[in-house]
Amino acid sequence: MSVRAPLKASAFEASETFELGRFKRARRAYGFDEVALVPGRVTINPEEVDSSVELGSLRLAVPILAAAMDGVVDVRFAVEMGRLGGMAVLNLDGLQTRYADPTSVLQEIAEAPREHINALLQKLYQAPVREQLIGERIMAVKRARVPVGVSTVPAHASRRAGLVAEAGADCLVVQGTVLTARHISRSYEQLSFEKLCTGLSIPVVAGNCVDYETALELMQTGIAGILVGVGPGAACTTRGVLGVGVPQVTATSDVAAARETCLRETGRRVQVITDGGMRVAGDIAKAFAAGADAVMVGSIFAGTTDAAGGGYHWGMATPDPNLPRGTRIKVGRRGTLREVLLGPARVDDGTQNLVGALRSAMGVCGAATLRDFQQTELVIAPAIQNEGKLFQQAQQVGMGT
């Protein structure tokens, strides 16, 4: 069975459902391990494909964003990411804006025993965010003349918007576990994305989202990009704690269908950014084929020698004082950021030279641009991870690791 990606709205509405019980029906959803790309009838030299992406007036040669996680992005990492052609997103609610010198704090997190880590994170994140540090961190990256994005929770987005734009940020990401255009609360005022986008000269990205209708409503507010993914991150436990989430291939395809609807109705294209769940380069290629315009990566980058966490990684909701939805994981330090992004790869498992692998996949599938790549045929392939891989699995090498 095969499908074309991204799904159009009509296909979304006509999706087959299955009976869970007399009261409830459900659609089948797919993750990266369950699908594969079909090679094209024409192949292209990978060196001649265009894998760049535009976000508002910002153009990135590398269509990969570094996730706004404290185990990944600090000023030094953001500068290197920008120099290599991508963009890092700095967490404005994280350690970099709570501590003037977070080095010792990061070391304490790395050295903490497993049984104490959640309590320690909750304690360390009680320190208040210092507005002065927000501007200082952004300007420190901009002095290197590279792009930088910043991430904030919705509650502080309006208040921080002017500050981050004045400091020189190139993109404002408004990020929550699940974000909608219509939020109901009696205790605080809802963020208006229309006002936020109108009042800013830099692109606004909103997230996270996993379904067509919600994505379409968010897109119609004027945002430039939308993050796709609830709970797929390597350090995230949202799916276990809350039971919510949609596997990333289906989520990306549904949100991409909303992008096409928005484009037809408004003439404006909102960039779809798959956020999380990608462990190797093949997953990234599948995200683009499912409809993504860019991807956001966390744990792969946390395992670089340039990352802030010293070989450890934890989710943005891990330090929540009331309901943690993440954990600290050890990812090690397997290579430099340059090796991971641009190669040359020293390993055979798809965790290095992500851009080279993406461009090769585009070439094999006959896609000259990322928009062409979104039309690549996908097949539902439950055997894709283990077919013919007995020796790799037995020896725990290659695809068996």
Side-chain angles (χ1 to χ4, degrees):
M1 179 180 181
S2 65
V3 295
R4 285 278 174 180
L7 293 175
K8 301 298 186 274
S10 57
F12 170 85
E13 292 161 359
S15 297
E16 183 180 5
T17 61
F18 302 89
E19 186 175 295
L20 298 179
R22 290 181 179 271
F23 180 71
K24 186 69 68 173
R25 296 184 65 84
R27 285 195 302 145
R28 178 70 165 87
Y30 297 94
F32 294 122
D33 286 350
E34 299 170 288
V35 302
L37 311 182
V38 178
R41 287 178 290 178
V42 176
T43 54
I44 302 175
N45 181 349
E47 295 181 2
E48 298 176 16
V49 302
D50 180 5
S51 57
S52 65
V53 65
E54 293 182 357
L55 187 61
S57 60
L58 185 65
R59 183 183 181 277
L60 300 175
V62 172
I64 302 177
L65 309 182
M69 295 185 175
D70 286 345
V72 179
V73 179
D74 60 7
V75 169
R76 187 172 67 91
F77 184 97
V79 169
E80 181 67 4
M81 185 75 183
R83 285 174 174 165
L84 295 174
M87 183 173 71
V89 181
L90 182 71
N91 181 11
L92 298 188
D93 297 288
L95 300 175
Q96 297 295 323
T97 58
R98 295 175 190 264
Y99 297 91
D101 182 6
T103 305
S104 61
V105 177
L106 289 164
Q107 183 176 355
E108 188 177 0
I109 293 172
E111 295 175 351
R114 179 186 302 179
E115 61 272 18
H116 296 151
I117 187 60
N118 275 9
L120 175 64
L121 286 169
Q122 288 173 318
K123 173 187 174 184
L124 293 174
Y125 279 81
Q126 287 178 4
V129 171
R130 297 158 63 177
E131 301 286 307
Q132 176 187 348
L133 289 177
I134 292 177
E136 289 181 6
R137 300 296 188 233
I138 295 170
M139 288 187 285
V141 179
K142 293 305 295 180
R143 278 195 290 271
R145 297 185 178 182
V146 299
V148 62
V150 293
S151 171
T152 180
V153 295
H156 303 313
S158 295
R159 180 168 54 83
R160 291 172 174 169
L163 171 62
V164 301
E166 184 178 351
D170 296 276
C171 175
L172 175 62
V173 180
V174 182
Q175 198 165 4
T177 301
V178 174
L179 211 61
T180 63
R182 292 177 291 159
H183 179 67
I184 300 172
S185 175
R186 294 179 180 177
S187 58
Y188 53 83
E189 184 178 352
Q190 178 192 355
L191 170 66
S192 169
F193 280 100
E194 290 90 344
K195 291 181 180 178
L196 183 65
C197 295
T198 301
L200 274 178
S201 59
I202 60 175
V204 174
V205 174
N208 284 37
C209 175
V210 290
D211 71 286
Y212 172 87
E213 296 290 351
T214 302
L216 183 57
E217 288 190 2
L218 281 167
M219 291 174 182
Q220 291 169 339
T221 65
I223 60 173
I226 188 165
L227 297 177
V228 180
V230 172
C236 183
T237 61
T238 294
R239 292 179 177 179
V241 175
L242 301 184
V244 301
V246 175
Q248 286 290 66
V249 170
T250 294
T252 299
S253 182
D254 286 350
V255 175
R259 175 194 61 213
E260 301 303 312
T261 300
C262 182
L263 179 61
R264 287 196 306 272
E265 294 179 350
T266 68
R268 194 173 56 85
R269 184 182 177 89
V270 179
Q271 305 291 53
V272 172
I273 306 167
T274 300
D275 176 18
M278 293 155 286
R279 303 156 301 169
V280 293
D283 295 342
I284 291 174
K286 293 174 187 180
F288 282 103
D293 298 292
V295 296
M296 177 174 276
V297 171
S299 61
I300 297 177
F301 289 154
T304 67
T305 55
D306 301 85
Y312 286 87
H313 181 49
W314 55 98
M316 295 176 73
T318 305
D320 188 286
N322 299 310
L323 192 65
R325 297 181 302 285
T327 186
R328 182 199 63 178
I329 59 174
K330 184 175 182 178
V331 292
R333 304 179 107 173
R334 304 188 62 191
T336 66
L337 179 58
R338 176 177 287 275
E339 288 173 326
V340 167
L341 265 184
L342 304 179
R346 296 181 292 101
V347 295
D348 57 9
D349 59 3
T351 58
Q352 293 183 356
N353 198 0
L354 302 181
V355 175
L358 172 62
R359 295 174 69 89
S360 292
M362 292 172 66
V364 166
C365 295
T369 67
L370 289 177
R371 293 194 189 183
D372 293 338
F373 199 34
Q374 292 167 354
Q375 302 304 319
T376 297
E377 184 179 3
L378 294 171
V379 292
I380 299 167
I384 196 65
Q385 294 297 314
N386 53 40
E387 185 177 38
K389 302 300 184 289
L390 177 62
F391 287 107
Q392 292 186 36
Q393 292 171 346
Q395 298 169 31
Q396 295 186 334
V397 297
M399 291 179 66
T401 54

